[in-house]
Short mmCIF file of all heavy atoms in Angstrom, two decimals:
data_model
loop_
_atom_site.label_atom_id
_atom_site.label_comp_id
_atom_site.label_asym_id
_atom_site.label_seq_id
_atom_site.Cartn_x
_atom_site.Cartn_y
_atom_site.Cartn_z
N SER A 49 3.66 24.38 -14.84
CA SER A 49 3.66 25.80 -15.32
C SER A 49 4.32 25.90 -16.69
O SER A 49 3.81 26.61 -17.56
CB SER A 49 4.43 26.68 -14.33
OG SER A 49 3.80 26.68 -13.07
N THR A 50 5.39 25.14 -16.90
CA THR A 50 6.10 25.18 -18.20
C THR A 50 5.20 24.68 -19.29
O THR A 50 5.14 25.23 -20.37
CB THR A 50 7.40 24.37 -18.12
OG1 THR A 50 8.24 24.90 -17.10
CG2 THR A 50 8.12 24.39 -19.45
N GLU A 51 4.52 23.56 -19.06
CA GLU A 51 3.66 23.00 -20.10
C GLU A 51 2.46 23.87 -20.37
O GLU A 51 2.04 23.97 -21.52
CB GLU A 51 3.19 21.59 -19.62
CG GLU A 51 2.19 20.94 -20.57
CD GLU A 51 2.77 20.62 -21.95
OE1 GLU A 51 3.99 20.68 -22.14
OE2 GLU A 51 1.96 20.37 -22.85
N ARG A 52 1.93 24.52 -19.36
CA ARG A 52 0.81 25.43 -19.54
C ARG A 52 1.21 26.61 -20.46
O ARG A 52 0.49 26.97 -21.40
CB ARG A 52 0.26 25.96 -18.21
CG ARG A 52 -0.99 26.79 -18.37
CD ARG A 52 -1.67 27.06 -17.03
NE ARG A 52 -0.85 27.72 -16.08
CZ ARG A 52 -0.30 27.19 -15.02
NH1 ARG A 52 -0.49 25.91 -14.81
NH2 ARG A 52 0.42 27.87 -14.19
N LEU A 53 2.37 27.20 -20.17
CA LEU A 53 2.88 28.29 -21.03
C LEU A 53 3.20 27.80 -22.40
O LEU A 53 3.06 28.51 -23.40
CB LEU A 53 4.11 28.92 -20.31
CG LEU A 53 3.78 29.67 -19.04
CD1 LEU A 53 5.10 30.18 -18.40
CD2 LEU A 53 2.82 30.82 -19.27
N ALA A 54 3.75 26.56 -22.53
CA ALA A 54 4.04 26.01 -23.82
C ALA A 54 2.74 25.83 -24.62
O ALA A 54 2.73 26.06 -25.86
CB ALA A 54 4.73 24.63 -23.68
N SER A 55 1.69 25.42 -23.96
CA SER A 55 0.39 25.28 -24.63
C SER A 55 -0.08 26.64 -25.21
O SER A 55 -0.55 26.73 -26.34
CB SER A 55 -0.68 24.76 -23.70
OG SER A 55 -0.39 23.42 -23.28
N ILE A 56 0.11 27.69 -24.40
CA ILE A 56 -0.26 29.03 -24.86
C ILE A 56 0.63 29.41 -26.03
O ILE A 56 0.09 30.02 -27.01
CB ILE A 56 -0.09 30.02 -23.71
CG1 ILE A 56 -1.10 29.71 -22.60
CG2 ILE A 56 -0.28 31.48 -24.20
CD1 ILE A 56 -0.90 30.51 -21.35
N GLY A 57 1.90 29.09 -26.00
CA GLY A 57 2.74 29.42 -27.14
C GLY A 57 2.33 28.70 -28.41
O GLY A 57 2.32 29.29 -29.46
N ARG A 58 1.95 27.43 -28.27
CA ARG A 58 1.54 26.65 -29.45
C ARG A 58 0.26 27.23 -30.02
O ARG A 58 -0.01 27.14 -31.23
CB ARG A 58 1.33 25.19 -29.08
CG ARG A 58 2.65 24.45 -28.80
CD ARG A 58 2.39 22.94 -28.75
NE ARG A 58 1.54 22.54 -27.68
CZ ARG A 58 2.00 22.19 -26.45
NH1 ARG A 58 3.28 22.26 -26.21
NH2 ARG A 58 1.15 21.81 -25.50
N LEU A 59 -0.58 27.81 -29.18
CA LEU A 59 -1.84 28.35 -29.62
C LEU A 59 -1.73 29.80 -30.07
O LEU A 59 -2.73 30.33 -30.66
CB LEU A 59 -2.88 28.28 -28.49
CG LEU A 59 -3.35 26.87 -28.03
CD1 LEU A 59 -4.13 26.99 -26.75
CD2 LEU A 59 -4.14 26.20 -29.15
N ALA A 60 -0.62 30.42 -29.89
CA ALA A 60 -0.47 31.86 -30.14
C ALA A 60 -0.85 32.24 -31.58
O ALA A 60 -1.61 33.19 -31.80
CB ALA A 60 0.91 32.34 -29.80
N ALA A 61 -0.31 31.47 -32.54
CA ALA A 61 -0.58 31.78 -33.94
C ALA A 61 -2.12 31.64 -34.22
O ALA A 61 -2.71 32.46 -34.90
CB ALA A 61 0.18 30.87 -34.88
N GLY A 62 -2.70 30.60 -33.71
CA GLY A 62 -4.12 30.40 -33.89
C GLY A 62 -4.95 31.49 -33.26
O GLY A 62 -5.94 31.94 -33.83
N VAL A 63 -4.55 31.89 -32.04
CA VAL A 63 -5.29 32.96 -31.36
C VAL A 63 -5.21 34.26 -32.12
O VAL A 63 -6.18 35.00 -32.28
CB VAL A 63 -4.74 33.13 -29.91
CG1 VAL A 63 -5.31 34.41 -29.30
CG2 VAL A 63 -5.13 31.93 -29.06
N ALA A 64 -4.01 34.56 -32.69
CA ALA A 64 -3.85 35.75 -33.50
C ALA A 64 -4.77 35.71 -34.69
O ALA A 64 -5.42 36.72 -35.06
CB ALA A 64 -2.39 35.88 -33.94
N LEU A 116 -7.73 33.31 -23.07
CA LEU A 116 -6.32 33.18 -23.02
C LEU A 116 -5.74 33.62 -21.69
O LEU A 116 -4.86 33.00 -21.16
CB LEU A 116 -5.71 34.03 -24.19
CG LEU A 116 -4.18 33.91 -24.44
CD1 LEU A 116 -3.85 32.44 -24.79
CD2 LEU A 116 -3.71 34.87 -25.49
N LEU A 119 -6.43 30.98 -19.10
CA LEU A 119 -5.58 29.78 -19.26
C LEU A 119 -4.16 30.08 -18.75
O LEU A 119 -3.45 29.16 -18.30
CB LEU A 119 -5.52 29.38 -20.72
CG LEU A 119 -4.79 28.08 -21.08
CD1 LEU A 119 -5.48 26.90 -20.43
CD2 LEU A 119 -4.68 27.92 -22.58
N ALA A 120 -3.72 31.34 -18.78
CA ALA A 120 -2.32 31.65 -18.47
C ALA A 120 -2.07 31.67 -16.97
O ALA A 120 -0.89 31.68 -16.56
CB ALA A 120 -1.97 33.01 -19.07
N MET A 140 -10.60 27.92 -27.40
CA MET A 140 -9.12 28.03 -27.53
C MET A 140 -8.60 27.05 -28.55
O MET A 140 -7.54 27.30 -29.18
CB MET A 140 -8.50 27.77 -26.17
CG MET A 140 -8.78 28.84 -25.13
SD MET A 140 -8.08 30.44 -25.60
CE MET A 140 -6.38 30.08 -25.67
N HIS A 143 -8.73 26.94 -33.67
CA HIS A 143 -7.83 27.04 -34.84
C HIS A 143 -7.12 25.72 -35.12
O HIS A 143 -6.82 25.43 -36.29
CB HIS A 143 -6.80 28.12 -34.56
CG HIS A 143 -5.87 28.39 -35.72
ND1 HIS A 143 -6.36 28.96 -36.90
CD2 HIS A 143 -4.56 28.16 -35.95
CE1 HIS A 143 -5.38 29.09 -37.78
NE2 HIS A 143 -4.26 28.60 -37.19
N GLU A 144 -6.88 24.89 -34.07
CA GLU A 144 -6.22 23.62 -34.25
C GLU A 144 -7.14 22.55 -34.84
O GLU A 144 -6.69 21.60 -35.41
CB GLU A 144 -5.70 23.13 -32.91
CG GLU A 144 -4.58 23.99 -32.30
CD GLU A 144 -3.29 23.86 -33.05
OE1 GLU A 144 -2.98 22.69 -33.54
OE2 GLU A 144 -2.53 24.85 -33.20
N GLN A 170 -7.46 23.87 -18.79
CA GLN A 170 -6.20 23.36 -19.31
C GLN A 170 -6.31 21.84 -19.58
O GLN A 170 -5.83 21.35 -20.63
CB GLN A 170 -5.08 23.65 -18.36
CG GLN A 170 -3.75 22.96 -18.71
CD GLN A 170 -3.04 23.64 -19.87
OE1 GLN A 170 -2.73 24.82 -19.76
NE2 GLN A 170 -2.70 22.89 -20.89
N LEU A 173 -8.54 21.30 -22.64
CA LEU A 173 -7.80 21.69 -23.85
C LEU A 173 -6.78 20.66 -24.21
O LEU A 173 -6.66 20.26 -25.37
CB LEU A 173 -7.06 23.05 -23.57
CG LEU A 173 -6.20 23.61 -24.72
CD1 LEU A 173 -7.03 23.83 -26.00
CD2 LEU A 173 -5.52 24.87 -24.30
N LEU A 177 -6.92 18.60 -27.75
CA LEU A 177 -5.84 18.65 -28.71
C LEU A 177 -5.15 17.29 -28.91
O LEU A 177 -4.74 16.93 -30.02
CB LEU A 177 -4.77 19.68 -28.22
CG LEU A 177 -5.20 21.17 -28.23
CD1 LEU A 177 -4.09 22.05 -27.76
CD2 LEU A 177 -5.71 21.59 -29.58
#
Side-chain angles (χ1 to χ4, degrees):
S49 297
T50 300
E51 176 62 15
R52 186 167 60 253
L53 292 176
S55 295
I56 294 171
R58 289 194 295 270
L59 292 170
V63 168
L116 188 61
L119 186 63
M140 293 296 298
H143 186 67
E144 294 288 324
Q170 171 76 56
L173 178 61
L177 292 181

